[in-house]
Amino acid sequence: MHALAGLRTISRTLLQGYVYRSQTSEASASSSQKCADADARLVTAVSGFPKPGSAYNIENILKGQIGDDAYFVARHVDQWSSSDFGDDASPHGDSASSASADPAAVSASSSADELSSAAAAGRSGGNADVIGVADGVGGWRAYGVDPGQFSMNLMKCCERLVVAGYFNGNQPASLLAQGFREMQENKQQIIGSSTACLMMLSHTDLKLYTANIGDSGFLVVRQGEVVHRSHEQQHYFNTPFQLSLPPTHLQSEVLSDRPESADSYEFSVEDGDVILLATDGIFDNVPDNLLIAEMYKVQHCKDHDRLQQTANSIALMARRLSRDPKFLSPFSKNALAAGIEAEGGKPDDITVLLATVNL
């Protein structure tokens, strides 16, 4: 993604951490329900490529950054409720979480001082699987700014909040706002802009909750049919809604949308539903029919290797089509609809999270 303002092969399976609870006595009905809730999960694979000409940094990719794109995969389950121990139960010893980041880094970075605003609000708690993608606005390179730093930091803030339990399992828009607020309050402000799309599978009501700002997005496919999808938010062609932290002297020139502008969706899902969460490098280059055909192959799939192969296939397809100068891509069709002569794919960073619902 390049528009800033009015100016503007490696992949890795990231499996959700499973939380197991040993029981030394007969479980009550409520305890059984909590265990059942914890069994709900997204089985997730990640794949992608940085745009042509970008540095290919394997360490960054494994940590959640693909070119100017970023992603995270996290899971939070409260192991014990306060009622299990009484009112004086420890607020920090009642949960188990997993995330795609290095465990030591997560442990250090989710300390109270780095989650100050979340701590002030209090731990809301939320049993959920949470995934997210963000796409840094490439136009910042003209100002000597690395666009990937903003998207990466935004996703890391959201991930840390999930791991620490400072989120509601049915409010991704609030999580996005909290993550953005953490960046605003950082003493060393990260300059840049980014789109973002977050998705939560709530273990409480087994619904998917999503928040999307800009032109990243998602598809949910069931039995080969799209049952839910996001809709991109654009100010005008190739200039999506975006969260921004510009320097003072550029504030009047840079688009800056509020987290509250994100489109929010909620809907029920079924066991075996297939979810694709991706940046515009996927949607600008791969038509729906090709995405659906690939997603249909892994409905009800719980085999991690097979899911990874399909995620790889989608990412490779997007990269190939983005380099085809004669292909009538979704991006070129949208450009023509906007009165702009265009042909071929759109070379861009490509990030895809492919998941199946396991209830």
Side-chain angles (χ1 to χ4, degrees):
M1 182 178 64
H2 298 286
L4 173 63
L7 338 153
R8 199 178 144 68
T9 65
I10 184 139
S11 59
R12 178 193 186 195
T13 305
L14 294 174
L15 305 178
Q16 298 289 27
Y18 298 162
V19 179
Y20 297 100
R21 290 183 263 191
S22 60
Q23 297 182 359
T24 58
S25 59
E26 277 190 275
S28 65
S30 61
S31 296
S32 299
Q33 180 61 48
K34 286 189 288 184
C35 287
D37 290 346
D39 285 339
R41 63 177 59 91
L42 296 179
V43 182
T44 307
V46 182
S47 191
F49 301 93
K51 67 171 66 70
S54 298
Y56 195 86
N57 188 317
I58 179 62
E59 292 301 321
N60 285 348
I61 292 174
L62 295 181
K63 290 178 180 177
Q65 183 174 13
I66 302 177
D68 297 340
D69 291 353
Y71 68 88
F72 78 94
V73 178
R75 186 170 209 252
H76 182 89
V77 175
D78 287 328
Q79 276 189 300
W80 312 106
S81 68
S82 58
S83 61
D84 292 325
F85 300 102
D87 294 339
D88 58 347
S90 169
H92 297 292
D94 63 350
S95 65
S97 307
S98 66
S100 60
D102 175 71
V106 170
S107 176
S109 60
S110 61
S111 59
D113 57 334
E114 292 197 29
L115 294 170
S116 56
S117 64
R123 283 186 65 173
S124 301
N127 292 355
D129 286 23
V130 188
I131 56 179
V133 294
D135 181 1
V137 176
W140 281 104
R141 281 199 176 81
Y143 298 91
V145 173
D146 178 358
Q149 286 301 302
F150 187 95
S151 57
M152 179 71 166
N153 276 273
L154 179 62
M155 292 294 95
K156 285 301 179 188
C157 285
C158 292
E159 180 181 46
R160 287 196 295 266
L161 288 162
V162 172
V163 169
Y166 288 99
F167 77 109
N168 283 314
N170 59 1
Q171 296 181 17
S174 294
L175 174 61
L176 182 61
Q178 283 179 275
F180 184 59
R181 190 180 309 119
E182 290 291 327
M183 294 183 65
Q184 288 176 310
E185 295 174 355
N186 196 311
K187 293 178 181 178
Q188 295 182 329
Q189 191 176 71
I190 304 295
I191 294 172
S193 307
S194 178
T195 67
C197 187
L198 303 184
M199 176 177 285
M200 297 176 173
L201 173 63
S202 169
H203 299 171
T204 303
D205 57 13
L206 302 182
K207 287 185 177 181
L208 273 180
Y209 295 86
T210 68
N212 181 63
I213 187 160
D215 57 3
S216 294
F218 66 87
L219 286 177
V220 180
V221 168
R222 181 181 304 152
Q223 301 297 329
E225 299 288 337
V226 175
V227 291
H228 304 288
R229 70 178 310 149
S230 59
H231 299 280
E232 66 179 24
Q233 297 174 312
Q234 297 268 5
H235 289 284
Y236 42 88
F237 176 70
N238 203 31
T239 307
F241 282 34
Q242 53 202 257
L243 302 178
S244 302
L245 289 177
T248 303
H249 68 281
L250 289 177
Q251 286 183 352
S252 63
E253 301 178 51
V254 173
L255 290 173
S256 184
D257 299 291
R258 296 175 59 81
E260 293 77 14
S261 299
D263 284 339
S264 295
Y265 307 88
E266 67 173 86
F267 42 85
S268 297
V269 288
E270 297 180 6
D271 183 66
D273 283 354
V274 186
I275 298 165
L276 181 142
L277 185 69
T279 57
D280 64 335
I282 293 290
F283 298 111
D284 281 344
N285 290 298
V286 186
D288 276 3
N289 64 308
L290 297 182
L291 290 175
I292 295 167
E294 290 297 317
M295 295 170 71
Y296 181 69
K297 296 176 182 177
V298 291
Q299 63 177 350
H300 295 284
C301 176
K302 297 176 178 62
D303 182 275
H304 303 136
D305 290 340
R306 184 175 160 212
L307 193 66
Q308 185 64 59
Q309 290 170 2
T310 303
N312 293 348
S313 177
I314 292 172
L316 286 164
M317 183 191 309
R319 186 174 68 164
R320 175 176 56 82
L321 293 175
S322 74
R323 297 174 175 180
D324 186 342
K326 297 299 182 183
F327 176 60
L328 188 60
S329 65
F331 178 81
S332 61
K333 289 180 180 179
N334 291 336
L336 291 170
I340 301 171
E341 289 294 327
E343 191 175 24
K346 179 191 175 188
D348 202 351
D349 300 305
I350 293 165
T351 300
V352 55
L353 275 64
L354 188 66
T356 56
V357 177
N358 184 10
L359 302 180

